[in-house]
Amino acid sequence: MRQILFFAAALLLAGGYFARFADQAVVHPSAQTAAVAPTYAARQPTTSGRSLVLESDRQGHFKTEARIDGRYVDFLVDTGASLVVLRETDAARAGIRPRPSDYTAIVSTANGKIKAAPAKLDRIELGGITVFDVPALVLPDEALGQNLLGTSFLSRLKRYEYANGRLVLEQ
């Protein structure tokens, strides 16, 4: 009988310890997330079929590499950008070379207004996610420090969600 009581007490202690640890690991839907920059380096994206998890970098940004029509291009995921925006050199590597007369759109940036060339990307692949016929803009290199993966791509997903320093993309 003494062994059964000892085993039951040990089981209760272990259960309490694991329940406390599990509460810290589970995010409750009602919990609010704060925008805190993690202290770890960004990891490779985790992909599972048609979903992808991106880890934020030290500044809280989500950087990733996507393929445009089969060519790799680095992006900063930007939910505030209406469209996918490419620098001229990266657009050229992906086979998009607008002529000076193609720069017909006027966009407002943090540095003021600038001309941009509208484009349509046949295919963007990110992990197991593929989106076709994505509206985009091409900007001169000096106007844009990094390519932006905006909502013309993100809005075509089933969902995208930020929580705990991670961005989940699901198609």
Side-chain angles (χ1 to χ4, degrees), residues 4 11 24 27 31-32 62 66 71-72 79 90 93-94 96 98 111 121 126 134 138:
I4 292 175
L11 190 60
Q24 293 172 355
V27 177
Q32 292 186 2
F62 296 96
R71 294 181 177 92
Y72 287 98
T79 59
D90 291 315
R93 281 188 331 158
I96 302 164
N111 296 324
L121 307 175
L126 184 59
V134 181
V138 177

Side-chain angles (χ1 to χ4, degrees), residues 4-166:
I4 292 175
L5 287 175
F6 179 75
F7 180 73
L11 190 60
L12 282 173
L13 285 172
Y17 174 76
F18 287 116
R20 181 175 149 222
F21 182 78
D23 280 347
Q24 293 172 355
V26 174
V27 177
H28 298 284
S30 62
Q32 292 186 2
T33 59
V36 176
T39 58
Y40 53 85
R43 297 184 203 137
Q44 291 294 329
T46 305
T47 184
S48 172
R50 295 173 56 130
S51 68
L52 181 75
V53 178
L54 300 174
E55 300 282 340
S56 63
D57 65 11
R58 291 183 180 264
Q59 291 80 33
H61 298 133
F62 296 96
K63 296 180 181 177
T64 189
E65 185 178 61
R67 289 187 348 168
I68 298 176
D69 299 332
R71 294 181 177 92
Y72 287 98
V73 177
D74 290 326
F75 281 98
L76 172 72
V77 179
D78 187 351
T79 59
S82 301
L83 298 170
V84 171
V85 184
L86 295 170
R87 302 176 77 230
E88 279 179 320
T89 54
D90 291 315
R93 281 188 331 158
I96 302 164
R97 293 176 182 85
R99 296 180 308 256
S101 61
D102 293 333
Y103 286 80
T104 57
I106 304 292
V107 295
S108 294
T109 68
N111 296 324
K113 294 183 187 248
I114 190 158
K115 286 189 172 186
K120 184 159 286 219
L121 307 175
D122 291 334
R123 180 179 70 224
I124 297 179
E125 298 169 272
L126 184 59
I129 297 171
T130 303
V131 176
F132 296 94
D133 299 323
V134 181
L137 289 175
V138 177
L139 267 65
D141 287 350
E142 59 273 5
L144 187 64
Q146 180 144 16
N147 300 308
L148 304 176
L149 194 61
T151 55
S152 62
F153 173 83
L154 297 170
S155 66
R156 307 273 293 282
L157 302 177
K158 180 178 178 183
R159 75 179 178 106
Y160 59 96
E161 176 182 14
Y162 170 78
N164 298 323
R166 292 187 173 111

